[in-house]
Amino acid sequence: MNKATAIAPANIAFIKYWGRKNASLRLPCNTSISMNLSASTTTTTVEFSEREKDEIVLLEEGGFSDAEVIRVVRQLDVIREYVGTTLRARVASKNTFPKSTGAASSASGFAALTVAALAALGQHISEKECTILARLGSGSACRSIPDGFVRWEVGVRSEDSFARSLYPASYWDLRDILVVVEQRGKDVSSSRGHDMVETSPLFADRLKAIPGRIARVEEGLASRNLSLLGNAIEEECLNMHHVMQTQTPALYYWTDRTITLMDIVPHWRREGIPVYFTIDAGPNVHLICEEKDEQRVLKRLKELSGIEQVIVNKSAPGARLVDTHLF
Ligand code: PMV
């Protein structure tokens, strides 16, 4: 049977991927580091057969846009070329979280698609190779394949820009409390944003500062030191957004509610709750804390207005095959 189903987590970047030195190969300008998210996943079933054309559906309200379907077909083409087949696919997908809200649906989506498509075609390839193929669909998707805490190497060529696990999910009981302040999809895709990065006068300095921040994040992870990790990831988040905001055209992903949260988190810390924020290409805020402080953070969030949804994520394993198909 040429059919397989995979589930893949979204991931939150502690060190962000922003800007690429080769757009078609999605080769990044810097190494990035992330954590997989347990409650923000995509499940995808792929079946190959002698059909006339690919059929792609998203099993949720709104479905896929035309542009998203084109991107999925392009990734199927990448896999068909890699495997050497002309078979067409039927693809169905569903998410456990709002699509296009900075919760990185493209990361979990392209990771699940790549793993399911390769398995449906009977391909057993190394995890490293699989991350390289997923990267061609969406850069950050490569980080959703290995387990737990993941590092994506900047690389010089396609073959050496791959992702690998630094620590398994069970290594550190961190929480990513995703605070959804807006369900609307983003106006400017991160793909377009990456292409304009050189227009920011701050970008060159960002690249110079990244190795130091990577060292702090890795040291924070190695010693399970949340204040070391948290301070580095907040600095990193602000730096990436400053670059986005000074690009031409400028990208402002924050809303007033995003800023309210960014403003209040340091107050909570001063009151004794160790929690740190980070934000990807969207308005929603990821609050990073340890399991022991989860309830205290959730209680504080209840006191705030304007929050649409709160999703509590644990650190999670990477993409994997499952037996239950969507069709
Ligand atoms: O993989 P893309 O093209 O969706 O880019 C993701 C970019 C950020 O989410 C902003 C940062 C990251 O490293 O995930």
Side-chain angles (χ1 to χ4, degrees):
M1 193 174 60
N2 290 346
K3 183 171 175 175
T5 300
I7 179 164
N11 66 72
I12 180 63
F14 292 163
I15 296 290
K16 313 287 189 188
Y17 149 54
W18 194 246
R20 46 202 184 188
K21 50 185 187 250
N22 181 319
S24 55
L25 288 175
R26 294 183 204 275
L27 280 179
C29 293
N30 62 273
T31 291
S32 55
I33 297 177
S34 60
M35 178 178 96
N36 286 334
L37 304 179
S38 64
S40 308
T41 63
T42 301
T43 301
T44 298
T45 298
V46 181
E47 182 177 39
F48 282 96
S49 61
E50 299 281 356
R51 46 198 303 127
E52 219 162 78
K53 61 186 193 70
D54 295 316
E55 182 195 319
I56 321 280
V57 286
L58 178 66
L59 304 172
E60 65 187 55
E61 218 186 295
F64 279 127
S65 67
D66 291 348
E68 286 167 331
V69 169
I70 290 169
R71 221 169 135 188
V72 171
V73 171
R74 212 181 295 141
Q75 180 67 355
L76 290 169
D77 286 340
V78 164
I79 292 163
R80 277 189 280 258
E81 196 189 318
Y82 178 82
V83 174
T85 180
T86 54
L87 294 175
R88 301 283 131 189
R90 185 169 169 215
V91 177
S93 228
K94 68 172 206 259
N95 294 317
T96 57
F97 57 95
K99 188 163 76 84
S100 301
T101 51
S105 59
S106 71
S108 54
F110 282 97
L113 175 70
T114 304
V115 170
L118 286 165
L121 290 167
Q123 296 293 303
H124 302 286
I125 64 171
S126 67
E127 179 183 274
K128 176 178 169 182
E129 193 73 8
C130 192
T131 69
I132 292 170
L133 287 169
R135 191 201 75 223
L136 297 171
S138 172
S140 54
C142 71
R143 295 190 312 235
S144 287
I145 296 205
D147 279 345
F149 299 86
V150 177
R151 176 179 160 119
W152 170 15
E153 302 296 337
V154 59
V156 181
R157 292 156 309 162
S158 190
E159 311 85 273
D160 40 45
S161 185
F162 61 92
R164 66 185 165 89
S165 178
L166 292 173
Y167 302 100
S170 58
Y171 170 76
W172 191 1
D173 227 349
L174 282 188
R175 293 290 181 268
D176 174 332
I177 301 177
L178 171 57
V179 187
V180 179
V181 294
E182 196 164 313
Q183 302 270 7
R184 193 167 56 90
K186 47 195 176 200
D187 299 333
V188 182
S189 71
S190 46
S191 284
R192 271 206 58 211
H194 284 292
D195 292 339
M196 308 311 291
V197 78
E198 304 279 351
T199 61
S200 164
L202 306 181
F203 186 58
D205 282 343
R206 164 169 171 74
L207 290 184
K208 280 189 214 135
I210 284 221
R213 276 204 292 274
I214 290 182
R216 283 159 61 203
V217 164
E218 291 199 327
E219 208 183 313
L221 285 172
S223 54
R224 295 192 189 88
N225 179 333
L226 186 65
S227 88
L228 189 56
L229 176 75
N231 282 304
I233 67 176
E234 274 192 7
E235 188 182 299
E236 166 65 1
C237 161
L238 291 171
N239 182 256
M240 178 185 73
H241 281 271
H242 292 156
V243 168
M244 291 166 155
Q245 290 159 6
T246 49
Q247 290 181 202
T248 307
L251 294 178
Y252 298 106
Y253 287 114
W254 302 341
T255 67
D256 51 351
R257 285 169 190 162
T258 315
I259 295 170
T260 302
L261 275 159
M262 292 163 69
D263 192 42
I264 209 163
V265 165
H267 288 285
W268 292 349
R269 280 206 293 275
R270 282 195 285 278
E271 287 163 20
I273 308 176
V275 55
Y276 297 82
F277 67 78
T278 186
I279 305 156
D280 278 345
N284 299 324
V285 181
H286 296 253
L287 299 178
I288 309 296
C289 67
E290 289 180 296
E291 192 258 325
K292 66 178 176 58
D293 297 307
E294 176 189 324
Q295 290 307 323
R296 288 204 290 166
V297 173
L298 290 175
K299 188 160 171 271
R300 290 303 173 104
L301 286 171
K302 284 212 181 85
E303 292 160 8
L304 301 180
S305 63
I307 293 175
E308 302 204 0
Q309 199 184 350
V310 172
I311 301 172
V312 179
N313 293 283
K314 300 177 184 181
S315 50
R320 59 212 175 271
L321 292 168
V322 291
D323 293 332
T324 318
H325 303 303
L326 294 178
F327 59 85

